[in-house]
Amino acid sequence: MGILWSFVWFCMVYDSPLMHPSLSEKERDIFEKEGSNILKSSSDLAKSVPWRRLLTSLPVWALYLANFTRSWVFAMIIFEIPQYFTDAFALNVSTIGFLTCFPPILMTVSVVFGGIFVDKLVKTEKVSVTAGRKLSLCIGFGSESLCILALGFARDYSTAAVLIVVAEGLAGLSIASFKVNPVDLAPQYASVLTGIVRSGVLGAAIGTAIAGALREKNAESWYRIFFITGSVHLFAVIFYSVFGSGQQQGWAQTEYTMLDIPKGDSVYGSTVISLEKTKDNLAEIEKSNTEENHNGIIPNEDIPDKK
């Protein structure tokens, strides 16, 4: 399946949505109005990555911790929970398989709903991009961490199964936060930043190793595992709530800035205009000022500095 999907990906993926031959006019308008028109990636840009400032950025570390603990929890759900049901409740394989099939189904729904919900809040200016990212992660991962902590008090497999379903189902809401956040923080370095924070998959190895070391084939040992996992996950949620951001960082700013925004238009996320567009706008403004000045429409001293 992986090989087959790779062939589909090679045939369907383009450098930009605007280059895709099946893009409709309505979709094109959306990308042109709301797309991130940042300076495009290049070899020169790759050489100028501000590594020191990137690696010491608190929003980057908040994002890394979110990825780290999510990988930890995801690995536990996939690899350890079936063993937990066996050790704590002596369930058979068929029952465990039935119970563990529900979390991914609910997560599928919550991922889509979470993306639409957060995007709607941001676009209608109910919340800022930063608030939207934090809200998404707090509801999703915050609920997941609390459910994992509560697993330590579950005394029957029905309660445990419900807690796991709720935990993984709500965790899907956080996809609208930590998966897309690299584009918010540094659009032109998004690929580099994504690679760095996704190395948080190391959390899966650490979490699995801790579970293997603490497991003693009884319910009590699993309570300790859940307490450690839930506490680490909750710490990451709190850290992101304080230091996370949805705004383009100063170390990721280009040498040009946004000019006057037409009335009715809004800036979404880290959208900035391209260097070429900036130059064109400056040229038009200079030409307009010169003509008005020559025609005596606006006295020279009253001409605003539109640059």
Side-chain angles (χ1 to χ4, degrees), residues 86-218:
T86 299
D87 291 347
F89 307 112
L91 299 181
N92 58 46
V93 174
S94 60
T95 303
I96 294 172
F98 176 75
L99 293 175
T100 55
C101 77
F102 290 105
I105 295 174
L106 186 56
M107 178 178 276
T108 301
V109 177
S110 65
V111 166
V112 177
F113 172 77
I116 296 173
F117 176 69
V118 174
D119 191 57
K120 189 71 174 179
L121 288 178
V122 171
K123 291 188 68 175
T124 56
E125 299 183 352
K126 296 289 193 305
V127 298
S128 65
V129 178
T130 296
R133 299 288 181 252
K134 291 183 177 182
L135 177 66
S136 172
L137 191 126
C138 286
I139 294 177
F141 286 171
S143 300
E144 184 179 46
S145 61
L146 293 177
C147 286
I148 292 172
L149 289 171
L151 271 175
F153 301 96
R155 293 297 179 265
D156 59 84
Y157 76 87
S158 298
T159 302
V162 169
L163 287 171
I164 293 170
V165 169
V166 173
E168 287 303 284
L170 293 179
L173 298 174
S174 294
I175 298 298
S177 175
F178 80 108
K179 288 289 187 182
V180 299
N181 203 202
V183 181
D184 298 325
L185 300 179
Q188 70 270 55
Y189 304 126
S191 57
V192 175
L193 183 54
T194 298
I196 291 173
V197 298
R198 294 291 172 85
S199 67
V201 72
L202 179 65
I206 294 176
T208 303
I210 290 176
L214 295 178
R215 175 182 170 241
E216 297 177 354
K217 296 186 179 181
N218 57 52

Side-chain angles (χ1 to χ4, degrees), residues 207-228:
T208 303
I210 290 176
L214 295 178
R215 175 182 170 241
E216 297 177 354
K217 296 186 179 181
N218 57 52
E220 288 72 22
S221 65
W222 282 102
Y223 301 156
R224 294 194 293 273
I225 294 171
F226 292 142
F227 177 78
I228 293 173

Side-chain angles (χ1 to χ4, degrees), residues 13-25:
V13 170
Y14 289 77
D15 287 341
S16 165
L18 293 173
M19 297 175 63
H20 203 285
S22 64
L23 190 72
S24 68
E25 287 302 317

